[in-house]
Amino acid sequence: MAITLLDNVLSPVPHSLTANKGIFSAAALAKESLAKRLDTLDGKTIYLVDIGYGGSYKFMQALERWFQRNMPSVNVVRRRKPGSAFMDDSQELWEEIKAKGHAAVIGVAG
Amino acid sequence: MVQEDRKAGYVPFLYTPHPVIGMSDEALDGYVVGKNPDTGRPVIEDIIDNFTKPVDPAKLKFKAAVVEEDKTEYLKPDTEDNLQQLFYEQGWTDGLPIILPTQERVDRMLAATCAAPEEIVGEMMRFDIRGTVQYTVKNVATIAVMAGAKPEYFPVILAVAATGLEAIQSSTSNWSAMLLVNGPIRNEIGMNSGIGAFSPGNMANASIGRAWTLMSTCWVDMRPGKNMWSSLGSSLNYNNNCCAENEEASVWEPFHVQKGFRKDESVVSIFRGWVFVNSAGSASVRSIGEEMCLQLSTIPPTNGTATIVMDPGIARMLKENYGFTKKEDFARWLSENAKMPAERFWGYDHVDWMVKPLALQGIEPYASFLRAKPDEQITPYFDPQRINIVVVGGDTNPLWKISEYGYARSESVDKWRAKPAETDECADGTCGIPDPYDPADYE
C-alpha cells in the first residue's frame, strides 16, 4: 500500500501569544522599591496573614508554632485577611501592619 | 520593614509543599521546615532570609514561561499515522484521535461563516506565560475540523470561542462546564435536545462540546501538569455537557429569551462550577420541589448559584400541577425553600474562604447567615436570579440534573453565520437523534 504524505496540515497553535498581559500583568519593578530588610527578627512583630484560602489558617498556625518554639523573642500576630482570597480588600489590616508590624507573611494557597 | 517604607507594595514569592488544604497539624509543621519546591531550601529559612537579607529582584513577581512562537503555519509533511502521533505528543488532542486539519478541510469550515479568516475572535488566559493567547477565525476553524465538526456547526463553535471562556480551567479543583445551545440553529444542525441529549451519539452535541475542550488544550496548554492542575479532573470535559434546550417540548420560555435574546436568535450559553449530579428517581413520594431542595441542601452553595436541567415532563408537572407558570416563579420558590443549617453552610471549604469574607464585611444576607445559630435553617440560594432552569430531555422519565453551576455568559451565533438563519421546526426535540434504521443519518 502506498504511503501518502500529508503536506498541508495546519498547526492548531495560534501565533499571537502575548506574554505578561492579563490578570498577572505588572509594571517593571525597580529593586529599590522594596522596603529595607530587617537586621534581626529579635523583638520584632511579625504578622502572619491567612488569605482565607482553604487550609491557609492552619498553615499560619504551624508557622506560629515554629516561631514560638524556635524564636520566642519574635512577637507573632496571626490574622485573617478581611477580603476574599483574591480581591475586595479593605485597607484596615494593611494599615495596622504598617503601623504595628515589622514584617508580614501572607499566604497560602492550596 | 513595612513601618519604614510606605511604598512597600511588592513582596517576594516563595512556595510551600503542596497541598495545604486538609493536612494535619503535624504535616503542616513538616511543611514549615520542609523544602520549598522552588528553591530546595527549608521554607522557614527562605522566609527568614526574605526578612533579613537582600531579595533577588527575580523573585518579586511570577516567573513567566517563555514560549517559542512557531510562526510556521503548516506542519512538516508526514503520514497520517505519524501526524496523529505528533498531535497526541504535542497535547493537541483530548487523548482521542482527531481529524487532521488539512487546508482543504479548514477551507470548507471557513466557508461556513461570513467572518474573515484572520479576524480576531477572542483571547484566553494562558497561565504559564502569565498572558493571553489571541485566536483568529482560522484558528477556530482548525479546531472545529479536529473535533470532527461539520461546517454547518462552525458558527456555533465560533460563538463559543467568542466567549473567551476556557472549557478547562487552571484550578487544582475539579471544574466542569455546560454548553447550552438555543434557537433555530439547534434543529438546523440536528442537535439532540431530546432522549439522551447528554449521552454519546449525536455528532453536533459531541463535536461542538469537544471543540471547546480542544481550544483549551491547543491554545492555552490545559494539559495535566502543564497549565491544568485539577487533582482528579473531570470526564465531563470531553464534551462539556454540550446540548440544546428542548424548546419545543418545554412549557416555559427558552433560556436565551430569559437572557434578553429574541426567540428566533441562535445563542450559546455557558455555565460553570464544580458539582453536577443526577436525580436517581423522580418525585412520586415527595414533591418535585421537596426532592430538589433536599439535593440542593447537600451541595456546597458557594456563590448561591444553581443550574437545574429538567426533563420536559418535570417542567410540565411544575406548571400544571404546582402552578409555576414561568421558570422565574419556580426559581423564586426554590430560593425561598432550599435551606440548610447554618453550621453546614459555613462548614463547606469554599463557603468558608470565598463567602465568609463577605459576611465579615457586613454584606447581606451573608452577615445574617453568620449570626444564625448553628442549627438555624438559612436560605443559601437566596437570589432567584442566580438559579438557572433549563429544559432538556425526551419525556421518557421525569428526571433532572442539579448543580451549583453558575451562569457565565451567552453569545449570539447569528453574527457568525454565512447566511441568515433558516427556520426548521422540530416537533418534539428529537430531530437530532440519529434514526437507527436510516443509514443516511450516519453518513
Side-chain angles (χ1 to χ4, degrees):
Chain A
M1 189 173 72
I3 295 175
T4 305
L5 291 186
L6 296 176
D7 60 359
N8 62 348
V9 173
L10 290 156
S11 166
V13 178
H15 293 150
S16 51
L17 301 174
T18 314
N20 200 23
K21 171 177 174 269
I23 59 171
F24 291 112
S25 64
L29 196 61
K31 190 177 177 182
E32 54 271 23
S33 68
L34 267 185
K36 207 170 79 180
R37 303 291 96 181
L38 299 170
D39 296 330
T40 174
L41 297 185
D42 276 346
K44 299 296 194 298
T45 296
I46 296 178
Y47 275 75
L48 304 181
V49 181
D50 148 27
I51 62 171
Y53 199 99
S56 59
Y57 78 97
K58 290 193 72 178
F59 179 81
M60 290 304 172
Q61 286 176 333
L63 206 48
E64 183 179 35
R65 283 194 294 275
W66 188 92
F67 277 109
Q68 287 168 346
R69 287 175 193 149
N70 299 285
M71 298 182 79
S73 67
V74 173
N75 176 36
V76 172
V77 179
R78 191 165 48 81
R79 298 287 297 275
R80 180 167 177 163
K81 180 176 167 295
S84 85
F86 303 124
M87 58 187 82
D88 300 332
D89 276 327
S90 65
Q91 290 298 308
E92 289 155 19
L93 176 59
W94 311 126
E95 292 300 329
E96 178 187 327
I97 295 172
K98 284 178 183 175
K100 299 179 181 175
H102 295 94
V105 180
I106 303 168
V108 52
Chain B
M1 57 193 173
V2 287
Q3 286 176 325
E4 296 170 17
D5 189 344
R6 301 286 167 152
K7 304 195 301 300
Y10 291 92
V11 291
F13 280 89
L14 58 87
Y15 299 86
T16 67
H18 196 262
V20 171
I21 191 166
M23 304 305 285
S24 67
D25 288 348
E26 293 72 24
L28 292 172
D29 286 340
Y31 280 15
V32 171
V33 295
K35 284 184 180 177
N36 174 344
D38 187 38
T39 65
R41 302 177 68 238
V43 169
I44 189 65
E45 286 184 20
D46 278 346
I47 289 173
I48 292 171
D49 280 0
N50 273 307
F51 284 153
T52 57
K53 294 179 181 174
V55 175
D56 178 357
K59 297 288 180 190
L60 295 179
K61 59 181 179 179
F62 290 108
K63 192 190 297 177
V66 176
V67 178
E68 293 296 329
E69 290 191 42
D70 181 0
K71 297 290 185 187
T72 312
E73 189 173 15
Y74 295 98
L75 302 172
K76 278 174 57 180
D78 213 330
T79 64
E80 180 165 4
D81 284 352
N82 287 345
L83 284 163
Q84 285 285 356
Q85 187 62 25
L86 173 71
F87 273 68
Y88 180 71
E89 288 168 0
Q90 292 290 319
W92 298 335
T93 171
D94 49 11
L96 296 168
I98 47 86
I99 304 296
L100 288 169
T102 61
Q103 184 69 61
E104 292 84 356
R105 288 168 177 160
V106 172
D107 285 345
R108 281 202 296 275
M109 198 63 71
L110 288 168
T113 181
C114 60
E118 300 308 321
E119 179 180 336
I120 300 290
V121 179
E123 60 183 27
M124 289 184 184
M125 181 70 197
R126 178 166 162 165
F127 274 78
D128 58 348
I129 65 166
R130 311 297 176 209
T132 53
V133 174
Q134 284 187 332
Y135 40 88
T136 63
V137 170
K138 191 170 186 177
N139 294 139
V140 183
T142 305
I143 293 290
V145 169
M146 291 167 61
K150 290 183 173 179
E152 53 262 43
Y153 311 164
F154 190 40
V156 180
I157 296 171
L158 279 164
V160 174
T163 66
L165 298 170
E166 299 94 347
I168 303 175
Q169 303 203 53
S170 199
S171 173
T172 52
S173 61
N174 307 319
W175 274 88
S176 56
M178 182 172 86
L179 198 170
L180 179 73
V181 182
N182 276 104
I185 202 161
R186 296 166 305 127
N187 298 330
E188 292 167 33
I189 63 176
M191 289 193 78
N192 183 7
S193 63
I195 297 172
F198 286 94
S199 296
N202 178 278
M203 191 182 291
N205 294 30
S207 60
I208 293 169
R210 186 189 191 199
W212 192 25
T213 279
L214 292 178
M215 294 175 202
S216 288
T217 56
C218 295
W219 297 346
V220 291
D221 208 8
M222 281 296 175
R223 283 182 288 165
K226 296 288 185 179
N227 283 317
M228 196 277 267
W229 295 96
S230 170
S231 196
L232 278 74
S234 175
S235 55
L236 296 177
N237 282 137
Y238 277 106
N239 92 323
N240 302 298
N241 290 309
C242 178
C243 64
E245 187 163 30
N246 195 339
E247 297 176 25
E248 293 75 12
S250 172
V251 292
W252 290 325
E253 197 171 54
F255 184 79
H256 68 307
V257 177
Q258 289 184 281
K259 293 299 174 188
F261 293 91
R262 296 188 322 272
K263 189 173 188 307
D264 63 357
E265 199 167 359
S266 294
V267 174
V268 295
S269 298
I270 285 173
F271 308 78
R272 300 199 288 192
W274 292 274
V275 182
F276 195 80
V277 293
N278 287 304
S279 64
S282 187
S284 56
V285 180
R286 283 183 284 261
S287 71
I288 296 167
E290 282 179 285
E291 284 290 335
M292 289 186 181
C293 287
L294 270 173
Q295 285 182 307
L296 286 169
S297 73
T298 56
I299 61 177
T302 306
N303 300 307
T305 55
T307 296
I308 300 166
V309 185
M310 60 178 69
D311 186 81
I314 288 289
R316 200 162 48 245
M317 289 181 212
L318 286 169
K319 183 173 184 180
E320 294 172 1
N321 302 347
Y322 297 92
F324 297 108
T325 57
K326 295 185 294 185
K327 285 178 177 175
E328 289 84 348
D329 296 338
F330 186 54
R332 189 174 305 108
W333 185 90
L334 285 172
S335 74
E336 293 165 356
N337 290 280
K339 297 177 181 175
M340 69 175 62
E343 185 177 36
R344 185 187 305 165
F345 178 73
W346 292 114
Y348 286 122
D349 274 348
H350 278 191
V351 172
D352 177 60
W353 70 269
M354 285 196 263
V355 181
K356 189 174 274 182
L358 305 176
L360 294 172
Q361 291 169 43
I363 295 171
E364 292 293 353
Y366 302 118
S368 295
F369 292 172
L370 197 55
R371 287 194 298 272
K373 292 175 183 164
D375 59 351
E376 190 175 330
Q377 295 287 322
I378 61 167
T379 52
Y381 303 93
F382 59 89
D383 181 359
Q385 293 193 349
R386 298 188 201 182
I387 299 177
N388 311 296
I389 294 173
V390 178
V391 178
V392 176
D395 253 331
T396 54
N397 200 338
L399 302 174
W400 61 86
K401 294 171 184 285
I402 215 157
S403 77
E404 45 67 72
Y405 281 10
Y407 165 69
R409 63 180 293 181
S410 300
E411 279 286 333
S412 174
V413 171
D414 293 340
K415 66 175 279 195
W416 300 104
R417 288 174 180 268
K419 56 182 181 179
E422 296 169 1
T423 303
D424 185 7
E425 288 299 326
C426 175
D428 57 4
T430 59
C431 58
I433 304 172
D435 180 350
Y437 302 106
D438 184 356
D441 274 4
Y442 288 94
E443 281 180 355

